[in-house]
Amino acid sequence: LRAKSYYSFGISLHAALQRFHDSEDKGVQTVAEAVASLEENWVSAGYDSPEEAAEALAEGRELVAAYVESPAARDPLATTLFVEKQLRKDMGAFELVGRLDRVDEYPDGRLEIVDYKSGIGYSEEGLLSDVAMNSYQLLLRTKMPNRRVFSTVIMLKTQERVSVEPDEETLREFEEAIVSIGTEILNREYAEIEPKPKPLCVNCDFLDLCLRHPEFAEGYSEIAADEGNKPIAQL
Ligand code: SF4
């Protein structure tokens, strides 16, 4: 797959914040230490030029520094239980696996799943139907049952927090949907599926593979021409 700069940027930020919130890591507690941690963990893959990577690193330094000093970083009443924690849940025919950025616990026993985002525009409504966050909910509620569990996103660019508490019914429906989609994926005959060209193929990492299919390649060239997208000759 082609490296993408936004993944590298997100991975670098996550690594710096992981060290900042890791209670066993007493070496990263100040702005300067958090920025140094970002520099140590900087992933430069996917940038078009050294200048673009340097600009991104400068933005990353600003975001990390602003985050460390922001009240959004962590409620003083909360204790961090886990950082970058992988959890698993047996779903019958398959296992659900997720890596949670951070889990905080409040004195009244409620838990908060915290997810860092380098993008903006997250809403309560979106968070309630977010597949990754609801998967984290299922995983954490299985590991630590009978607790109230909140889903929280921190937008690093603006230091805003959005937080929701999905109800049992929402999560039950979500679990049913995951089981049904997972079962369908497991039982499909992939060798018989033919790729169909569509506008989103332009940005797909698997485009080169689908283009080996002659009918797909023909249909895709029309889409690429219609939309002014990259023609096949440049792929
Ligand atoms: S290019 Fe990607 S999105 Fe398009 S058909 Fe192939 S796998 Fe699906």
Side-chain angles (χ1 to χ4, degrees):
L1 299 186
R2 295 178 291 251
K4 300 279 195 314
S5 60
Y6 45 84
Y7 289 142
S8 300
F9 190 65
I11 290 166
S12 307
L13 287 178
H14 276 74
L17 300 186
Q18 176 187 358
R19 289 205 55 196
F20 181 68
H21 282 291
D22 189 342
S23 56
E24 289 169 16
D25 188 347
K26 300 294 181 205
V28 178
Q29 296 183 343
T30 66
V31 170
E33 286 161 355
V35 169
S37 169
L38 175 73
E39 290 165 354
E40 269 169 39
N41 290 291
W42 184 248
V43 179
S44 57
Y47 293 98
D48 287 337
S49 64
E51 292 73 28
E52 194 184 86
E55 262 177 43
L57 177 56
E59 186 189 354
R61 283 193 194 104
E62 279 177 24
L63 292 185
V64 167
Y67 172 82
V68 168
E69 294 191 316
S70 159
R74 183 170 62 204
D75 189 312
L77 292 175
T79 306
T80 296
L81 293 184
F82 311 119
V83 286
E84 295 289 331
K85 176 81 170 170
Q86 180 170 287
L87 296 178
R88 314 175 88 91
K89 177 176 166 63
D90 184 355
M91 305 292 283
F94 60 94
E95 243 191 340
L96 183 65
V97 181
R99 183 175 285 273
L100 286 63
D101 286 350
R102 191 173 108 212
V103 176
D104 285 353
E105 182 181 39
Y106 287 78
D108 62 5
R110 99 194 112 97
L111 302 171
E112 181 176 41
I113 301 165
V114 179
D115 205 44
Y116 309 121
K117 298 289 186 193
S118 42
I120 55 172
Y122 291 87
S123 64
E124 290 185 5
E125 198 182 28
L127 206 45
L128 280 171
S129 57
D130 187 278
V131 173
M133 195 56 109
N134 284 341
S135 299
Y136 302 155
Q137 281 272 349
L138 290 183
L139 292 165
L140 188 61
R141 284 172 191 243
T142 302
K143 182 175 174 63
M144 301 180 74
N146 305 318
R147 303 275 201 115
R148 294 179 68 191
V149 183
F150 289 76
S151 304
T152 298
V153 155
I154 299 180
M155 288 166 263
L156 297 173
K157 281 201 168 85
T158 56
Q159 309 302 327
E160 283 174 281
R161 274 176 164 252
V162 178
S163 194
V164 294
E165 182 184 15
D167 59 29
E168 293 289 338
E169 176 68 10
T170 303
L171 288 173
R172 198 183 50 73
E173 283 172 12
F174 175 75
E175 184 166 0
E176 283 171 9
I178 288 286
V179 169
S180 127
I181 293 166
T183 307
E184 189 184 334
I185 290 172
L186 286 172
N187 294 321
R188 263 203 186 169
E189 292 296 337
Y190 286 93
E192 291 171 13
I193 297 175
E194 291 192 1
K196 298 269 186 287
K198 45 201 156 304
L200 64 82
C201 297
V202 174
N203 294 315
C204 178
D205 279 330
F206 303 103
L207 179 58
D208 290 354
L209 291 177
C210 289
L211 282 171
R212 293 182 194 168
H213 197 282
E215 283 175 25
F216 177 94
E218 198 177 314
Y220 178 75
S221 62
E222 284 167 23
I223 287 180
D226 281 354
E227 307 223 341
N229 290 318
K230 47 186 173 179
I232 284 178
Q234 289 178 14
L235 294 168

